[in-house]
Amino acid sequence: MLQPTRTKFRKAHKGRIHGNASRCNKMNYGSFGLKSLQPERIISKQIEAARVALTRHMKRQGRVWTRIFPNIPVSKKPTEVRMGKGKGSPEFWACRVKPGRILFEVDGVSEQIAKEALYKASAKLPIKTKFIRRFA
């Protein structure tokens, strides 16, 4: 699963996801893509599950670009622990996704195969998404 090799700080605030995506909101690599329509934190397991579903349906043809990376540590306290005593230890890594961000890009396959593959990948993600194509 994806996670950064080093970070400046071990733990992060939860934060809120405001507004629309101003970066990574245009297609750069592939002909077809998956665009987010909701703000949400996507964890590394979900990104990996979507990537596996995508490549399996495409039968390893074409090319896949993952445009999101989990760089936010999410901490969690153990079960049945009393309140207080500080923040829990980092459990997993997440990525804050704003509406309009491109999540995956695909190239080298037909539009029908790309649409089905990206639909299967979107089923693994906790947000509503939209299939988009490049017109350039």
Side-chain angles (χ1 to χ4, degrees):
M1 275 172 292
L2 296 170
Q3 70 178 47
T5 50
R6 286 182 70 242
T7 55
K8 190 171 183 181
F9 299 106
R10 207 170 132 253
K11 298 175 184 178
H13 294 302
K14 184 174 278 186
R16 296 290 177 265
I17 305 169
H18 297 293
N20 295 325
S22 59
R23 57 183 68 213
C24 291
N25 56 357
K26 292 181 176 66
M27 303 253 302
N28 282 351
Y29 306 103
S31 304
F32 311 105
L34 197 66
K35 185 184 223 178
S36 69
L37 298 177
Q38 293 176 318
E40 187 67 58
R41 278 193 320 198
I42 298 180
I43 68 172
S44 57
K45 284 182 182 179
Q46 293 166 340
I47 297 169
E48 181 63 15
R51 187 195 64 78
V52 167
L54 195 58
T55 52
R56 286 244 174 98
H57 186 80
M58 288 169 52
K59 296 189 172 72
R60 290 194 302 246
Q61 294 173 341
R63 183 111 193 258
V64 176
W65 289 270
T66 306
R67 299 285 304 273
I68 51 175
F69 186 81
N71 58 348
I72 312 293
V74 179
S75 62
K76 190 178 172 190
K77 293 185 94 161
T79 54
E80 299 181 13
V81 171
R82 292 185 179 186
M83 296 291 284
K85 305 286 187 287
K87 190 170 178 165
S89 56
E91 285 289 309
F92 54 88
W93 294 87
C95 171
R96 291 190 189 116
V97 172
K98 291 183 174 186
R101 185 170 177 127
I102 306 293
L103 306 175
F104 293 98
E105 289 188 34
V106 172
D107 204 1
V109 290
S110 67
E111 184 175 346
Q112 185 187 359
I113 291 171
K115 200 167 196 170
E116 290 170 10
L118 288 166
Y119 176 77
K120 287 189 174 184
S122 71
K124 310 293 181 192
L125 300 172
I127 57 173
K128 287 182 181 175
T129 56
K130 181 181 178 183
F131 174 80
I132 57 169
R133 62 178 72 80
R134 178 186 264 180
F135 291 112

